[in-house]
Amino acid sequence: MSITHFLHATLLVTHLEAAQHFYETVLGLKPVERNLSFAGAWYQIGVVQLHLIVVEAVVGDRVNSQRLGRNRHIALAVDDLDAIQQRLEAFNHAFQPSASGRPALFIADPDGNIIELLKG
């Protein structure tokens, strides 16, 4: 028996167009096509599949960190952290370097999700 491994991360967004602009234009991610019934956008980052899903598409009473008073947080390893930092500066998008001195940046997407970019 063979098992295929991949990591799938989902972030809830309220404004898909603003989120897509952020992830595609500011971070430079390329969207990938997915044939699923959920409204949203998919990105492939190495072995990670990142899914942005519109809040209204989620049915039922789900517990998420936003209801608990915390922002959602996802870490992404990137090949060229310096290029992303330059793009963030060009778009005047706020970011915070890691307080530990390691090569990482913390930024917020349009929905308040905290994105930690690590040098891959």
Side-chain angles (χ1 to χ4, degrees):
M1 173 171 68
S2 148
I3 298 175
T4 302
H5 295 84
F6 68 93
L7 178 62
H8 170 175
T10 300
L11 291 175
L12 297 176
V13 298
T14 54
H15 302 301
L16 184 60
E17 293 80 18
Q20 286 177 294
H21 172 76
F22 173 78
Y23 286 95
E24 293 172 24
T25 306
V26 178
L27 293 187
L29 300 182
K30 302 294 182 217
V32 295
E33 292 294 322
R34 296 290 298 211
N35 293 322
L36 296 175
S37 60
F38 285 115
W42 287 88
Y43 301 93
Q44 186 76 33
I45 309 157
V47 297
V48 176
Q49 295 176 352
L50 176 61
H51 183 201
L52 304 179
I53 186 169
V54 180
V55 173
E56 289 79 19
V58 179
V59 181
D61 186 24
R62 297 170 59 102
V63 175
N64 63 52
S65 58
Q66 205 170 42
R67 288 191 186 148
L68 298 174
R70 301 179 322 182
N71 289 334
R72 295 171 298 266
H73 174 175
I74 187 170
L76 302 172
V78 296
D79 291 330
D80 195 348
L81 189 62
D82 293 333
I84 290 177
Q85 182 172 342
Q86 290 172 359
R87 259 199 309 277
L88 291 169
E89 290 169 348
F91 283 97
N92 292 320
H93 192 91
F95 64 90
Q96 176 68 45
S98 173
S100 69
R102 65 188 167 98
L105 300 174
F106 293 86
I107 57 177
D109 76 2
D111 283 281
N113 299 307
I114 303 302
I115 311 301
E116 179 181 0
L117 300 169
L118 306 163
K119 189 169 183 131

